[in-house]
Coordinates of all heavy atoms in Angstrom, one line a residue:
M1393 N -17.1 89.6 -61.7 CA -16.0 89.4 -62.6 C -14.9 88.6 -61.9 O -14.5 88.9 -60.8 CB -15.5 90.8 -63.0 CG -14.3 90.8 -63.9 SD -13.9 92.4 -64.4 CE -12.5 92.1 -65.3
T1394 N -14.4 87.6 -62.6 CA -13.4 86.8 -62.0 C -12.0 87.3 -62.4 O -11.8 87.9 -63.5 CB -13.5 85.3 -62.6 OG1 -13.3 85.3 -64.0 CG2 -14.8 84.7 -62.1
S1395 N -11.1 87.1 -61.6 CA -9.7 87.5 -61.9 C -8.7 86.4 -61.7 O -9.1 85.4 -61.0 CB -9.3 88.7 -60.9 OG -9.3 88.3 -59.6
T1396 N -7.6 86.5 -62.2 CA -6.6 85.5 -62.2 C -5.7 85.7 -60.9 O -5.4 86.8 -60.6 CB -5.7 85.5 -63.4 OG1 -6.5 85.3 -64.6 CG2 -4.6 84.4 -63.4
V1397 N -5.3 84.6 -60.3 CA -4.4 84.7 -59.1 C -3.3 83.7 -59.4 O -3.5 82.5 -59.6 CB -5.2 84.3 -57.8 CG1 -4.2 84.4 -56.6 CG2 -6.4 85.3 -57.6
I1398 N -2.1 84.2 -59.3 CA -0.9 83.3 -59.5 C -0.2 83.1 -58.2 O -0.1 84.0 -57.4 CB 0.1 84.0 -60.5 CG1 -0.6 84.4 -61.8 CG2 1.3 83.1 -60.7 CD1 0.2 85.3 -62.6
H1399 N 0.2 81.9 -58.0 CA 0.9 81.5 -56.8 C 2.2 80.7 -57.1 O 2.1 79.8 -58.0 CB 0.0 80.7 -55.8 CG 0.7 80.3 -54.6 ND1 1.0 81.2 -53.6 CD2 1.2 79.1 -54.2 CE1 1.6 80.6 -52.6 NE2 1.7 79.3 -52.9
V1400 N 3.3 81.0 -56.5 CA 4.5 80.2 -56.7 C 4.8 79.5 -55.3 O 4.9 80.2 -54.3 CB 5.7 81.1 -57.0 CG1 7.0 80.3 -57.1 CG2 5.5 81.8 -58.4
E1401 N 4.9 78.2 -55.4 CA 5.3 77.4 -54.2 C 6.8 77.4 -54.1 O 7.5 76.7 -54.8 CB 4.8 76.0 -54.3 CG 3.3 75.9 -54.2 CD 2.9 74.4 -54.3 OE1 3.4 73.6 -53.5 OE2 2.0 74.1 -55.1
K1402 N 7.4 78.3 -53.3 CA 8.8 78.5 -53.1 C 9.5 77.2 -52.6 O 10.6 77.0 -53.0 CB 9.1 79.6 -52.2 CG 8.8 81.0 -52.7 CD 9.9 81.5 -53.5 CE 9.7 83.0 -53.6 NZ 10.9 83.6 -54.3
D1403 N 8.8 76.4 -51.8 CA 9.4 75.2 -51.3 C 9.5 74.1 -52.3 O 10.3 73.2 -52.2 CB 8.7 74.7 -50.0 CG 7.2 74.4 -50.3 OD1 6.6 75.0 -51.2 OD2 6.7 73.6 -49.5
R1404 N 8.8 74.3 -53.4 CA 8.8 73.3 -54.5 C 9.7 73.8 -55.7 O 10.3 73.0 -56.4 CB 7.4 73.1 -55.0 CG 7.3 72.1 -56.1 CD 5.9 71.9 -56.6 NE 5.4 70.7 -55.9 CZ 4.2 70.2 -56.1 NH1 3.4 70.7 -57.0 NH2 3.9 69.1 -55.5
C1405 N 9.9 75.1 -55.8 CA 10.7 75.7 -56.9 C 12.1 75.2 -56.9 O 12.7 75.2 -55.8 CB 10.6 77.2 -56.8 SG 11.5 78.1 -58.2
V1406 N 12.7 74.9 -58.1 CA 14.1 74.5 -58.2 C 14.9 75.5 -58.9 O 16.1 75.2 -59.2 CB 14.2 73.1 -58.8 CG1 13.6 72.0 -58.0 CG2 13.6 73.0 -60.2
G1407 N 14.3 76.6 -59.3 CA 15.1 77.6 -60.0 C 15.4 77.4 -61.4 O 16.4 77.9 -61.9
A1408 N 14.6 76.6 -62.1 CA 14.8 76.3 -63.5 C 14.7 77.6 -64.4 O 15.4 77.7 -65.4 CB 13.9 75.2 -64.1
G1409 N 13.9 78.5 -64.0 CA 13.8 79.8 -64.7 C 12.9 79.8 -65.9 O 12.9 80.8 -66.6
M1410 N 12.2 78.7 -66.1 CA 11.4 78.6 -67.3 C 10.2 79.7 -67.3 O 9.9 80.2 -68.3 CB 10.8 77.2 -67.5 CG 11.8 76.2 -67.8 SD 12.9 76.5 -69.2 CE 11.7 76.6 -70.5
C1411 N 9.7 80.0 -66.1 CA 8.7 81.0 -66.0 C 9.2 82.3 -66.4 O 8.5 83.1 -67.1 CB 8.1 81.0 -64.5 SG 9.4 81.3 -63.3
A1412 N 10.3 82.7 -65.9 CA 10.9 84.0 -66.2 C 11.3 84.2 -67.7 O 11.1 85.2 -68.3 CB 12.1 84.3 -65.3
L1413 N 11.7 83.1 -68.3 CA 12.0 83.1 -69.7 C 10.7 83.2 -70.5 O 10.7 83.8 -71.6 CB 12.7 81.8 -70.1 CG 14.2 81.8 -69.6 CD1 14.8 80.4 -69.9 CD2 15.0 82.8 -70.3
T1414 N 9.6 82.5 -70.1 CA 8.4 82.4 -70.8 C 7.5 83.7 -70.7 O 7.0 84.2 -71.6 CB 7.6 81.2 -70.4 OG1 8.4 80.0 -70.6 CG2 6.3 81.1 -71.2
A1415 N 7.4 84.2 -69.4 CA 6.6 85.4 -69.2 C 7.4 86.4 -68.3 O 7.1 86.6 -67.1 CB 5.3 85.0 -68.4
P1416 N 8.4 87.0 -68.9 CA 9.3 87.9 -68.1 C 8.6 89.2 -67.6 O 9.1 89.9 -66.8 CB 10.4 88.3 -69.1 CG 9.8 88.1 -70.5 CD 8.8 86.9 -70.3
R1417 N 7.4 89.5 -68.1 CA 6.6 90.7 -67.6 C 5.9 90.3 -66.3 O 5.4 91.2 -65.6 CB 5.6 91.2 -68.6 CG 6.3 91.7 -69.9 CD 5.3 92.3 -70.8 NE 4.1 91.6 -70.9 CZ 3.0 92.0 -71.5 NH1 3.0 93.2 -72.1 NH2 1.9 91.3 -71.5
V1418 N 5.9 89.0 -65.9 CA 5.2 88.6 -64.7 C 6.2 87.9 -63.7 O 6.1 88.2 -62.5 CB 4.1 87.6 -65.1 CG1 3.4 87.1 -63.8 CG2 3.1 88.3 -66.0
F1419 N 7.1 87.2 -64.2 CA 8.0 86.4 -63.3 C 9.4 86.9 -63.4 O 9.9 87.4 -64.4 CB 8.0 84.9 -63.7 CG 6.7 84.3 -63.5 CD1 5.8 84.1 -64.6 CD2 6.2 83.8 -62.3 CE1 4.6 83.5 -64.5 CE2 5.0 83.2 -62.2 CZ 4.2 83.0 -63.3
T1420 N 10.1 86.7 -62.3 CA 11.6 87.0 -62.2 C 12.1 85.9 -61.3 O 11.4 85.0 -60.8 CB 11.9 88.4 -61.7 OG1 13.3 88.6 -61.8 CG2 11.4 88.6 -60.3
Q1421 N 13.4 86.0 -61.0 CA 14.0 85.1 -60.0 C 14.7 85.9 -58.9 O 15.3 86.9 -59.2 CB 15.1 84.2 -60.7 CG 14.4 83.2 -61.6 CD 15.4 82.3 -62.4 OE1 16.1 82.8 -63.3 NE2 15.6 81.1 -62.0
D1422 N 14.5 85.4 -57.7 CA 15.1 86.1 -56.5 C 16.6 85.9 -56.4 O 17.2 85.2 -57.3 CB 14.3 85.8 -55.3 CG 14.5 84.3 -54.8 OD1 15.4 83.6 -55.3 OD2 13.7 83.9 -54.0
D1423 N 17.2 86.4 -55.4 CA 18.6 86.3 -55.2 C 19.1 84.8 -55.1 O 20.3 84.5 -55.4 CB 19.1 87.0 -54.0 CG 19.0 88.5 -54.2 OD1 18.9 89.0 -55.4 OD2 19.0 89.3 -53.2
D1424 N 18.2 83.9 -54.7 CA 18.5 82.5 -54.6 C 18.2 81.7 -55.9 O 18.4 80.5 -56.0 CB 17.8 81.9 -53.5 CG 18.2 82.4 -52.1 OD1 19.4 82.7 -52.0 OD2 17.4 82.6 -51.2
G1425 N 17.7 82.5 -56.9 CA 17.4 81.8 -58.2 C 16.0 81.2 -58.3 O 15.6 80.6 -59.2
L1426 N 15.2 81.5 -57.2 CA 13.8 80.9 -57.2 C 12.8 81.9 -57.8 O 13.0 83.1 -57.8 CB 13.4 80.6 -55.7 CG 14.3 79.6 -55.0 CD1 13.9 79.4 -53.5 CD2 14.4 78.3 -55.7
S1427 N 11.8 81.3 -58.3 CA 10.8 82.1 -59.0 C 10.1 83.1 -58.1 O 9.9 82.8 -56.9 CB 9.7 81.1 -59.6 OG 8.7 81.9 -60.2
E1428 N 9.8 84.2 -58.7 CA 9.1 85.3 -57.9 C 8.2 86.0 -58.8 O 8.6 86.2 -60.0 CB 10.2 86.2 -57.3 CG 9.7 87.2 -56.3 CD 11.0 87.8 -55.7 OE1 11.6 88.7 -56.3 OE2 11.2 87.5 -54.5
I1429 N 7.1 86.4 -58.3 CA 6.1 87.2 -59.2 C 6.5 88.7 -59.0 O 6.8 89.1 -57.9 CB 4.7 87.0 -58.7 CG1 4.3 85.5 -58.9 CG2 3.7 87.8 -59.5 CD1 3.0 85.1 -58.2
L1430 N 6.6 89.4 -60.1 CA 7.0 90.8 -60.0 C 5.9 91.6 -59.3 O 4.7 91.2 -59.3 CB 7.1 91.4 -61.4 CG 8.3 90.9 -62.2 CD1 8.2 91.3 -63.7 CD2 9.6 91.5 -61.6
P1431 N 6.3 92.6 -58.5 CA 5.3 93.4 -57.8 C 4.2 93.9 -58.7 O 4.4 94.4 -59.8 CB 6.2 94.6 -57.2 CG 7.6 94.0 -57.2 CD 7.7 93.1 -58.4
G1432 N 3.0 93.8 -58.2 CA 1.8 94.2 -58.9 C 1.4 93.3 -60.0 O 0.4 93.6 -60.7
R1433 N 2.0 92.2 -60.2 CA 1.6 91.2 -61.3 C 1.0 89.9 -60.7 O 0.9 89.0 -61.5 CB 2.9 90.9 -62.1 CG 3.5 92.1 -62.8 CD 2.5 92.6 -63.8 NE 3.1 93.7 -64.5 CZ 2.9 94.0 -65.8 NH1 2.2 93.2 -66.5 NH2 3.4 95.1 -66.3
Q1434 N 0.6 89.9 -59.5 CA 0.0 88.7 -58.9 C -1.3 88.2 -59.7 O -1.7 87.1 -59.6 CB -0.4 88.9 -57.5 CG 0.8 89.1 -56.6 CD 1.4 90.5 -56.6 OE1 0.9 91.4 -57.2 NE2 2.5 90.6 -55.8
D1435 N -1.8 89.1 -60.5 CA -3.0 88.8 -61.3 C -2.6 88.4 -62.8 O -3.4 88.2 -63.6 CB -4.0 89.9 -61.3 CG -3.5 91.2 -62.0 OD1 -2.3 91.2 -62.3 OD2 -4.3 92.1 -62.1
G1436 N -1.3 88.4 -63.0 CA -0.8 88.1 -64.4 C -0.7 89.3 -65.3 O -0.1 89.2 -66.4
G1437 N -1.2 90.4 -64.9 CA -1.1 91.6 -65.7 C -1.6 91.5 -67.1 O -1.2 92.2 -68.0
G1438 N -2.5 90.6 -67.3 CA -3.1 90.4 -68.6 C -2.2 89.7 -69.6 O -2.4 89.6 -70.8
D1439 N -1.0 89.2 -69.1 CA -0.1 88.5 -70.0 C -0.6 87.1 -70.4 O -0.9 86.3 -69.6 CB 1.3 88.3 -69.3 CG 2.4 87.9 -70.2 OD1 2.2 87.1 -71.1 OD2 3.5 88.4 -69.9
P1440 N -0.8 86.9 -71.7 CA -1.3 85.7 -72.2 C -0.3 84.5 -72.0 O -0.7 83.3 -72.2 CB -1.5 85.9 -73.7 CG -0.6 87.0 -74.1 CD -0.4 87.9 -72.8
L1441 N 0.9 84.7 -71.7 CA 1.9 83.6 -71.5 C 2.0 83.1 -70.1 O 2.7 82.2 -69.8 CB 3.3 84.1 -72.0 CG 3.4 84.5 -73.4 CD1 4.7 85.1 -73.8 CD2 3.1 83.3 -74.3
V1442 N 1.2 83.6 -69.2 CA 1.2 83.2 -67.8 C 0.9 81.7 -67.7 O 1.6 80.9 -67.0 CB 0.3 84.0 -66.9 CG1 0.1 83.3 -65.5 CG2 0.8 85.4 -66.8
R1443 N -0.1 81.2 -68.3 CA -0.5 79.8 -68.2 C 0.6 78.9 -68.9 O 0.9 77.8 -68.4 CB -1.8 79.5 -68.8 CG -3.0 80.1 -68.0 CD -4.3 79.6 -68.4 NE -5.4 80.2 -67.7 CZ -5.7 79.9 -66.4 NH1 -5.1 78.9 -65.8 NH2 -6.7 80.5 -65.8
E1444 N 1.2 79.4 -69.9 CA 2.3 78.7 -70.6 C 3.5 78.6 -69.7 O 4.2 77.6 -69.6 CB 2.7 79.3 -71.9 CG 3.7 78.6 -72.7 CD 3.3 77.2 -73.1 OE1 2.1 76.9 -73.3 OE2 4.2 76.3 -73.1
A1445 N 3.7 79.7 -68.9 CA 4.9 79.7 -68.0 C 4.6 78.6 -66.9 O 5.5 77.9 -66.5 CB 5.0 81.1 -67.4
A1446 N 3.4 78.5 -66.4 CA 3.0 77.5 -65.4 C 3.2 76.1 -65.9 O 3.8 75.3 -65.2 CB 1.6 77.8 -64.9
R1447 N 2.8 75.9 -67.2 CA 3.0 74.6 -67.8 C 4.5 74.3 -68.0 O 4.9 73.1 -68.0 CB 2.2 74.5 -69.1 CG 0.8 74.3 -69.0 CD 0.1 74.0 -70.3 NE 0.1 75.1 -71.2 CZ -0.9 76.0 -71.2 NH1 -1.9 75.9 -70.4 NH2 -0.8 77.0 -72.1
A1448 N 5.3 75.3 -68.3 CA 6.7 75.1 -68.5 C 7.5 74.7 -67.3 O 8.6 74.2 -67.4 CB 7.3 76.3 -69.2
C1449 N 6.9 75.0 -66.1 CA 7.6 74.7 -64.8 C 7.8 73.2 -64.7 O 6.9 72.4 -64.7 CB 6.9 75.2 -63.6 SG 7.7 74.9 -62.1
P1450 N 9.1 72.7 -64.6 CA 9.4 71.3 -64.5 C 8.9 70.6 -63.2 O 8.7 69.4 -63.2 CB 10.9 71.2 -64.7 CG 11.4 72.5 -64.2 CD 10.3 73.5 -64.6
V1451 N 8.7 71.4 -62.2 CA 8.2 70.8 -60.9 C 6.8 71.3 -60.5 O 6.4 71.0 -59.4 CB 9.2 71.1 -59.8 CG1 10.6 70.4 -60.1 CG2 9.4 72.6 -59.6
R1452 N 6.1 71.9 -61.4 CA 4.8 72.4 -61.2 C 4.6 73.2 -59.9 O 3.7 73.1 -59.1 CB 3.8 71.2 -61.1 CG 3.9 70.3 -62.3 CD 2.7 70.4 -63.2 NE 2.7 69.4 -64.2 CZ 2.8 69.7 -65.5 NH1 2.9 71.0 -65.8 NH2 2.7 68.8 -66.4
A1453 N 5.6 74.2 -59.8 CA 5.6 75.1 -58.6 C 4.7 76.3 -58.8 O 4.5 77.0 -57.8 CB 7.0 75.5 -58.3
I1454 N 4.1 76.5 -60.0 CA 3.2 77.6 -60.2 C 1.8 77.2 -60.5 O 1.6 76.3 -61.3 CB 3.8 78.4 -61.5 CG1 5.2 78.8 -61.3 CG2 2.8 79.6 -61.8 CD1 5.9 79.3 -62.5
S1455 N 0.9 77.9 -59.8 CA -0.5 77.6 -60.0 C -1.2 78.9 -60.5 O -0.8 80.0 -60.1 CB -1.2 77.1 -58.8 OG -1.1 78.0 -57.7
V1456 N -2.1 78.8 -61.4 CA -2.8 79.9 -62.0 C -4.3 79.6 -61.8 O -4.8 78.6 -62.4 CB -2.5 80.2 -63.5 CG1 -3.3 81.4 -64.0 CG2 -1.0 80.3 -63.7
D1457 N -4.9 80.3 -60.9 CA -6.3 80.0 -60.6 C -7.2 81.2 -60.8 O -6.8 82.4 -60.9 CB -6.4 79.7 -59.1 CG -5.6 78.5 -58.7 OD1 -5.7 77.4 -59.4 OD2 -4.8 78.6 -57.8
K1458 N -8.5 81.0 -60.9 CA -9.5 82.0 -61.0 C -10.0 82.3 -59.6 O -10.2 81.4 -58.9 CB -10.7 81.6 -61.9 CG -10.3 81.4 -63.4 CD -10.0 82.7 -64.0 CE -9.7 82.5 -65.5 NZ -9.4 83.7 -66.2
D1459 N -10.1 83.6 -59.3 CA -10.5 84.1 -58.0 C -12.0 84.0 -57.9 O -12.8 84.2 -58.8 CB -10.0 85.5 -57.7 CG -10.3 85.9 -56.3 OD1 -10.5 85.1 -55.4 OD2 -10.4 87.2 -56.1

């Protein structure tokens, strides 16, 4: 069985917040305003908006891969 793995490149993130707005059950922003995956949601938590959140990132700092 394949699972989804989400990764945020913190050095690329500019803090636009599109991920947190699009998929708030998976993404948040840290104290510096950078994208962060909520604890326990590294697999996307079954949220159908995870891929849309990755596409919404203006600097492509989010990757969604199959394990």
Side-chain angles (χ1 to χ4, degrees):
M1393 181 175 174
T1394 61
S1395 61
T1396 301
V1397 179
I1398 303 166
H1399 179 73
V1400 176
E1401 291 183 52
K1402 290 273 198 174
D1403 58 335
R1404 180 179 262 188
C1405 181
V1406 295
M1410 295 306 298
C1411 58
L1413 290 171
T1414 305
R1417 294 185 323 169
V1418 177
F1419 298 98
T1420 189
Q1421 289 177 285
D1422 65 16
D1423 292 339
D1424 295 322
L1426 301 178
S1427 179
E1428 189 170 76
I1429 301 168
L1430 290 167
R1433 297 296 179 142
Q1434 291 80 2
D1435 65 354
D1439 192 323
L1441 295 175
V1442 168
R1443 290 192 184 281
E1444 183 60 34
R1447 282 191 290 273
C1449 179
V1451 294
R1452 306 253 187 246
I1454 301 169
S1455 61
V1456 181
D1457 301 308
K1458 294 289 184 183
D1459 187 24

